[in-house]
């Protein structure tokens, strides 16, 4: 059985000499950790609820069964949902195999159990101990986890900032590009160019990326496909499934079933 700890305590573990440190955090209420860095790479697995991170002008929304990987010394901020349960891994940068850039990873049931098992043990373990061997097995499995693309590009531009805030807080908002342009007293062409410049995507692709992230978050929270479709403002379930399959190459339920069985 692990001892749940708070953020102030977690910061103390990342400086330990062990190559991999694992700890569980219980977020009693929604909270945000402002911009900071770690001397080790950090992996955050959502065991319950979800966590949102802002890294390199992108927002990474991590649902249950997924984890965000943040390399060492990368400036980022974290925001946990109400009553979220998170497992933190701090991994020395000298350990090969982890991605070089921030990304999200699909976490298999085996890796999840290995992380929780490691978190349940004394972190002051010796290099030749059973716990050290467990940590090595965890690392060997972790480097094979598939990368997901669950990032939503943010911007410091005041217009794009306002749009992203509205889209995140009101995912059902189906305003067209001309309607958004009218809201900000811009021409449709000007706004389209601005979105492309700031995000690297068209408005449609940018919003779709947020819808994919939001849908995975909701599906991980055991919401039905019907509920997710309504959450995102689709006129029908089939329209939502069509969008999801176009991006993810499979249906929402098949994707979740394969993820849970991985």
């Amino acid at each position: 059985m692990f001892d749940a700890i708070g953020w102030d305590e977690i910061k103390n573990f990342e400086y330990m000499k062990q190559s991999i440190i694992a700890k569980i955090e219980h977020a009693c209420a929604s909270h945000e950790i402002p911009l900071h860095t770690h001397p080790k790479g950090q992996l955050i697995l959502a065991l319950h609820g979800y966590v949102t991170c802002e890294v390199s002008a992108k927002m990474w929304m991590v649902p249950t069964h997924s984890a965000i990987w943040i390399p060492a010394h990368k400036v980022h901020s974290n925001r946990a949902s109400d009553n979220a349960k998170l497992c933190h891994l701090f991994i020395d940068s000298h350990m090969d195999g982890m991605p070089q850039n921030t990304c999200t990873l699909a976490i298999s049931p085996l890796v999840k159990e290995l992380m929780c098992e490691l978190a349940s043990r004394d972190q002051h373990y010796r290099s030749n101990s059973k716990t050290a061997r467990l940590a090595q097995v965890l690392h060997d499995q972790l480097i094979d986890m598939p990368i997901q693309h669950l990032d939503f590009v943010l911007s410091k531009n005041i217009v794009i900032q306002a749009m992203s805030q509205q889209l995140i807080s009101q995912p059902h908002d189906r305003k067209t590009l001309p309607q958004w342009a009218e809201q900000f007293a811009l021409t449709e062409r000007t706004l389209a160019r601005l979105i492309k410049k700031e995000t690297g995507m068209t408005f449609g692709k940018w919003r779709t990326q947020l819808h994919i992230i939001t849908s995975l978050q909701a599906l991980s929270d055991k919401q039905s496909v019907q509920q997710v479709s309504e959450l995102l403002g689709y006129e029908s379930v089939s329209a939502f499934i069509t969008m999801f399959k176009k991006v993810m190459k499979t249906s929402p339920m098949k994707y979740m079933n394969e993820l849970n069985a991985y």
Side-chain angles (χ1 to χ4, degrees), residues 31-260:
H31 68 282
E32 181 171 2
I33 307 299
L35 291 173
H36 62 284
T37 63
H38 301 287
K40 296 184 179 184
Q42 182 185 24
L43 185 79
I44 309 173
L45 170 65
L47 298 172
H48 177 73
Y50 59 89
V51 62
T52 300
C53 300
E54 289 189 22
V55 191
S56 303
K58 291 185 178 181
M59 180 177 68
W60 306 79
M61 301 173 72
V62 187
T64 308
H65 306 310
S66 295
I68 181 170
W69 167 248
I70 307 167
H73 308 297
K74 180 73 72 173
V75 177
H76 63 283
S77 62
N78 304 335
R79 182 166 60 253
S81 62
D82 287 341
N83 301 312
K85 182 179 176 183
L86 311 175
C87 184
H88 298 263
L89 282 190
F90 294 105
I91 304 177
D92 274 350
S93 55
H94 75 264
M95 298 192 74
D96 296 331
M98 294 301 292
Q100 297 297 307
N101 299 306
T102 302
C103 63
T104 49
L105 299 175
I107 299 298
S108 69
L110 173 60
V111 170
K112 173 186 173 182
E113 291 304 317
L114 289 172
M115 290 175 66
C116 290
E117 175 61 26
L118 181 59
S120 72
R121 300 191 180 189
D122 183 357
Q123 300 302 295
H124 297 84
Y125 57 85
R126 299 187 304 275
S127 60
N128 61 348
S129 65
K130 290 182 179 180
T131 301
R133 292 195 290 275
L134 171 65
Q136 185 60 59
V137 170
L138 169 57
H139 180 261
D140 291 343
Q141 292 291 320
L142 192 57
I143 60 178
D144 289 333
M145 292 297 97
I147 292 177
Q148 300 171 313
H149 299 283
L150 302 182
D151 58 299
F152 179 62
V153 180
L154 302 175
S155 171
K156 293 184 178 180
N157 178 276
I158 188 169
V159 171
I160 307 304
Q161 248 186 12
M163 286 184 68
S164 62
Q165 289 170 0
Q166 288 184 48
L167 287 168
I168 292 167
S169 63
Q170 303 173 43
H172 60 278
D173 191 331
R174 305 295 296 178
K175 283 201 296 288
T176 63
L177 185 62
Q179 289 172 324
W180 280 106
E182 182 180 358
Q183 177 177 327
F184 294 106
L186 297 172
T187 66
E188 179 183 351
R189 189 175 181 181
T190 297
L191 182 57
R193 286 178 172 176
L194 181 60
I195 293 171
K196 182 71 173 180
K197 176 186 175 183
E198 294 295 321
T199 70
M201 291 176 274
T202 64
F203 169 67
K205 288 186 176 180
W206 185 52
R207 180 165 63 181
T208 294
Q209 185 69 3
L210 177 62
H211 281 187
I212 290 294
I213 295 168
T214 305
S215 66
L216 291 176
Q217 209 171 64
L219 290 167
S220 295
D221 285 339
K222 308 302 182 183
Q223 293 189 41
S224 68
V225 174
Q226 173 75 44
Q227 289 173 314
V228 177
S229 174
E230 293 172 357
L231 171 69
L232 297 178
Y234 283 85
E235 293 183 357
S236 67
V237 173
S238 61
F240 163 65
I241 293 175
T242 298
M243 179 280 295
F244 193 96
K245 290 176 72 173
K246 183 177 180 180
V247 177
M248 306 300 286
K249 311 306 180 186
T250 187
S251 69
M253 292 314 300
K254 187 174 181 181
Y255 181 89
M256 295 303 297
N257 289 336
E258 290 176 350
L259 183 61
N260 290 332

Side-chain angles (χ1 to χ4, degrees), residues 2-15:
F2 54 77
D3 294 321
I5 60 173
W7 174 251
D8 288 337
E9 295 172 280
I10 285 177
K11 289 191 294 185
N12 297 326
F13 290 100
E14 59 187 344
Y15 292 97

